[in-house]
Amino acid sequence: MSFAERLRKGDEAAYLVTLISALTIVLITVLLAQHLWSNSVLARQKFGFHFLTSSTWDPLSGNFGALPFVYGTLLTSFISLLIAVPVGIGAAIFLSELAPRGISNALTFLVELLAAVPSVIFGLIGIFVLVPMLNVVIPPIAAHLSFLPIFGGSFFGVSYLTAGLVLSIMIVPFIVSISREVLMAVPTAQREAMMALGATKWDVTWRSVVPYARRGIIGSIFLALARALGETMAVTMVIGNVPEIHASLLSPGYTIAAVIANEFAEASEDLYLHALIEMALVLFVVTMIVNASARLLMLTAGIREIRE
Amino acid sequence: MTTAAYPPTSKKIANAVMLSITGICAFLVVAVLLFILGYLVVNGAKSLNWAFFTKLPAPVGEIGGGLANAIVGSGKMLLIAAALGVPVGLLGGVHLAEFSGSAFASIVRYTTDLLNGVPSIVMGIFVYTLVVVPMHHFSTLAGGIALGIMMIPIALRSTEEFLRGVPQALREGAMSLGASKTQTILTVIIPAALPGIITGIMLNLARVAGETAPLLFTAFSNQYWSPGFDQPSASLPVVIFNYAISPYEDWHRQAWAGGFVLLTAVLLINIVARLILSRRTSLPR
């Protein structure tokens, strides 16, 4: 078939149109990076790397340091992983290895619905349900543990711990549904071989199935971490929004995403705006790296499709 | 000669304990969903009334009013988002599934996944610099574009997956009758994958409908109706956020009602779409 004939039938045109659409993805990603870079130039020039190590956040005097926000972001994400990883992997093991297929599918369906709940709804529950609840539960416990610096100080309901808890609820569905898929993809022979030796169900799962699925599970944790780092609304609503650094998990704090959400619309000075956009740039680069590693892990584990 | 029974009792106990713990984990996760649903139904339903859907917000301090402008605002933004996100994602997905070589496809796929992982607040800033700064003010259009850009990655990936799920024999059948590649795609492959593609779009819309962070400094918010597409506009998620962190009792009530409406819509779409998908076993999920 000649080129003219194919063109008449529209193949070349279709090829071009669809190619442009596919390239739009790449274009958007490049534009995104470029916009964040060029719109943070003032802050980058003035503060350099000092931006990330300074803990002064004073819009009035034009002094901007991101450390309290970086600290809050890392701490809340760490707390959320601490809770969500064991629970999520436990649930994934139950759903893939133990539960009858019907029950497993029904529960997975519900877990996926949990993943679909908008972040502002988690914030709503956080403010009006979780905070009052923790205000009752935490102080008596903290009174016994106050010799530990991480449980020191007074507790007002909004804190790193509250934000970490809300985040853990938000990321656990991703760990469960991805890890479940990864576990279910482990070849049956892997299980049968060990079962034939008389091992218990748990031994088979823990020593033969989980190690086989290790890379995929770690990948799911990375993906969840990227979510936790960038999560905005729910965290903004329960972390207290104070740009300080505290060792105590019960203190209010701030995160990168939360400070952008709260202050961006009211930032009138160019330097202020650029400082906030530089924080978005930091968040962008970090989540890119975490996501890229997660996807690479998944690819090397032979998982091409990740349903989110 | 006797052999010791295997597995020994200690292993049997460990087995029972660990298996129970994993079960508790699974039910814990599901319990959280039910807990959230319960609170929203109880607090939301009692706060909901007809005025919520038909009236503008009451002035600060006054009781009553509704979020009609936010509901319409969200609808308009979703319309723009779909008009932008669906065609680009769909065509891009067609390219990856039907035209491109595997090296190009994996690069685009990888970029798509990374773009999908960009925090929504960062997306908001991007659209602020891209649309709001040149236009000099917040607008429905900017909000819609932010949501639309967020739709593209998932629209592309789900379209590609559903197209790849169409049996090769259908392509060969069409080609053997002399159809061009374009004709094959338009008349055979896309129709075969259409139910999947449409449910994918529904899920995608449900996901961005709840997004708040990208709208904070693109659509911003508005106490009143936002005529046309170039004015700041209220949207349901942003109003829920603003009302929830406000000090007013009546606004908290409205926030619960808004949350209830938003969650009900999002979950209903999810349930319907996922049921349709699970029924069509011939197609990939």
Side-chain angles (χ1 to χ4, degrees):
Chain A
M1 212 189 302
S2 75
F3 177 76
E5 257 180 293
R6 283 163 69 196
L7 189 61
R8 200 179 59 236
K9 288 194 170 175
D11 277 7
E12 303 296 320
Y15 180 89
L16 271 178
V17 169
T18 58
L19 175 67
I20 290 168
S21 298
L23 285 175
T24 307
I25 288 278
V26 182
L27 177 75
I28 290 174
T29 312
V30 172
L31 262 183
L32 178 53
Q34 187 257 326
H35 271 244
L36 292 177
W37 181 258
S38 63
N39 284 296
S40 59
V41 60
L42 291 180
R44 282 188 290 109
Q45 276 171 356
K46 179 152 183 211
F47 304 113
F49 278 108
H50 191 58
F51 185 71
L52 290 175
T53 54
S54 156
S55 57
T56 320
W57 185 260
D58 186 1
L60 289 179
S61 68
N63 252 323
F64 298 102
L67 195 59
F69 312 103
V70 174
Y71 174 78
T73 304
L74 294 178
L75 182 58
T76 51
S77 301
F78 180 72
I79 298 171
S80 73
L81 286 184
L82 222 51
I83 302 166
V85 167
V87 174
I89 294 177
I93 289 176
F94 179 77
L95 294 177
S96 97
E97 303 299 313
L98 303 168
R101 185 50 68 88
I103 293 178
S104 170
N105 285 344
L107 292 183
T108 306
F109 185 78
L110 292 175
V111 169
E112 280 168 3
L113 286 188
L114 183 61
V117 173
S119 123
V120 71
I121 303 282
F122 285 104
L124 204 60
I125 297 283
I127 284 190
F128 294 122
V129 181
L130 195 62
V131 166
M133 202 182 275
L134 290 181
N135 258 330
V136 175
V137 176
I138 295 284
I141 302 174
H144 291 289
L145 296 171
S146 57
F147 59 91
L148 294 170
I150 56 166
F151 290 112
S154 41
F155 180 70
F156 303 106
V158 288
S159 65
Y160 295 115
L161 182 68
T162 319
L165 258 175
V166 173
L167 277 179
S168 71
I169 296 171
M170 300 181 69
I171 62 173
V172 85
F174 296 100
I175 299 182
V176 177
S177 60
I178 299 172
S179 294
R180 171 183 177 260
E181 304 254 314
V182 174
L183 288 169
M184 285 173 68
V186 174
T188 317
Q190 188 76 9
R191 298 182 180 86
E192 287 168 347
M194 200 165 162
M195 225 175 261
L197 299 174
T200 59
K201 184 91 188 170
W202 173 252
D203 271 341
V204 171
T205 306
W206 192 245
R207 298 194 183 178
S208 177
V209 179
V210 172
Y212 192 96
R214 193 178 52 232
R215 262 188 291 198
I217 293 176
I218 295 173
S220 82
I221 296 171
F222 271 53
L223 284 179
L225 172 63
R227 298 240 159 206
L229 292 170
E231 179 45 51
T232 311
M233 302 322 295
V235 173
T236 309
M237 293 160 90
V238 298
I239 196 164
N241 300 332
V242 183
E244 291 162 10
I245 296 177
H246 293 284
S248 171
L249 305 183
L250 307 181
S251 309
Y254 225 149
T255 68
I256 296 178
V259 73
I260 298 172
N262 278 323
E263 300 189 2
F264 195 79
E266 61 195 47
S268 42
E269 310 265 319
D270 275 349
L271 183 63
Y272 193 0
L273 216 56
H274 280 224
L276 287 169
I277 295 179
E278 183 173 356
M279 285 217 266
L281 180 67
V282 171
L283 199 57
F284 173 75
V285 171
V286 173
T287 51
M288 272 286 189
I289 293 172
V290 175
N291 266 317
S293 335
R295 305 279 168 184
L296 276 180
L297 266 173
M298 296 284 191
L299 283 178
T300 57
I303 305 155
R304 200 170 62 85
E305 270 328 301
I306 301 161
R307 196 158 44 122
E308 284 184 35
Chain B
M1 187 179 113
T2 55
T3 50
Y6 195 90
T9 319
S10 63
K11 279 209 177 281
K12 282 186 184 161
I13 293 173
N15 184 49
V17 169
M18 293 314 291
L19 297 188
S20 321
I21 290 177
T22 62
I24 292 169
C25 288
F27 283 100
L28 201 65
V29 175
V30 174
V32 169
L33 174 72
L34 301 179
F35 178 81
I36 292 174
L37 280 179
Y39 265 97
L40 273 150
V41 169
V42 169
N43 286 310
K46 77 168 183 238
S47 311
L48 205 58
N49 52 29
W50 190 239
F52 178 87
F53 295 101
T54 55
K55 290 224 165 75
L56 279 176
V60 177
E62 279 180 36
I63 306 283
L67 298 182
N69 61 340
I71 296 172
V72 172
S74 272
K76 275 156 76 178
M77 282 175 224
L78 288 177
L79 216 61
I80 301 172
L84 171 69
V86 172
V88 176
L90 197 80
L91 291 172
V94 168
H95 190 83
L96 293 201
E98 305 296 331
F99 286 109
S100 82
S102 67
F104 178 79
S106 35
I107 292 171
V108 173
R109 208 178 287 130
Y110 199 70
T111 316
T112 310
D113 288 342
L114 289 185
L115 187 64
N116 189 31
V118 171
S120 55
I121 187 90
V122 175
M123 233 22 141
I125 290 210
F126 171 53
V127 176
Y128 173 85
T129 60
L130 189 75
V131 183
V132 178
V133 171
M135 281 177 75
H136 299 297
H137 56 85
F138 303 114
S139 62
T140 308
L141 182 68
I145 290 175
L147 298 184
I149 291 179
M150 297 197 68
M151 282 184 76
I152 296 175
I154 293 195
L156 187 143
R157 294 290 262 127
S158 72
T159 304
E160 189 204 349
E161 274 316 296
F162 286 118
L163 293 180
R164 284 190 192 281
V166 174
Q168 203 56 35
L170 284 182
R171 290 184 183 82
E172 287 159 2
M175 295 279 202
S176 72
L177 296 174
S180 72
K181 189 142 194 168
T182 313
Q183 286 170 326
T184 310
I185 292 170
L186 286 178
T187 58
V188 176
I189 301 175
I190 289 186
L194 200 59
I197 293 175
I198 290 175
T199 42
I201 292 170
M202 281 166 60
L203 285 175
N204 205 346
L205 273 171
R207 191 184 67 112
V208 295
E211 284 291 352
T212 317
L215 301 181
L216 288 174
F217 10 89
T218 52
F220 199 64
S221 195
N222 197 334
Q223 280 285 98
Y224 308 101
W225 293 108
S226 163
F229 290 92
D230 67 341
Q231 307 275 318
S233 168
S235 60
L236 205 44
V238 172
V239 172
I240 295 171
F241 170 63
N242 286 337
Y243 278 21
I245 60 170
S246 78
Y248 309 111
E249 198 60 42
D250 195 53
W251 279 14
H252 293 170
R253 186 186 63 79
Q254 301 256 19
W256 277 112
F260 177 63
V261 170
L262 179 65
L263 188 65
T264 308
V266 167
L267 289 190
L268 271 184
I269 296 174
N270 265 276
I271 290 168
V272 171
R274 285 174 200 280
L275 286 181
I276 292 173
L277 285 190
S278 66
R279 226 156 277 134
R280 300 185 59 87
T281 45
S282 60
L283 287 172
R285 290 155 315 192

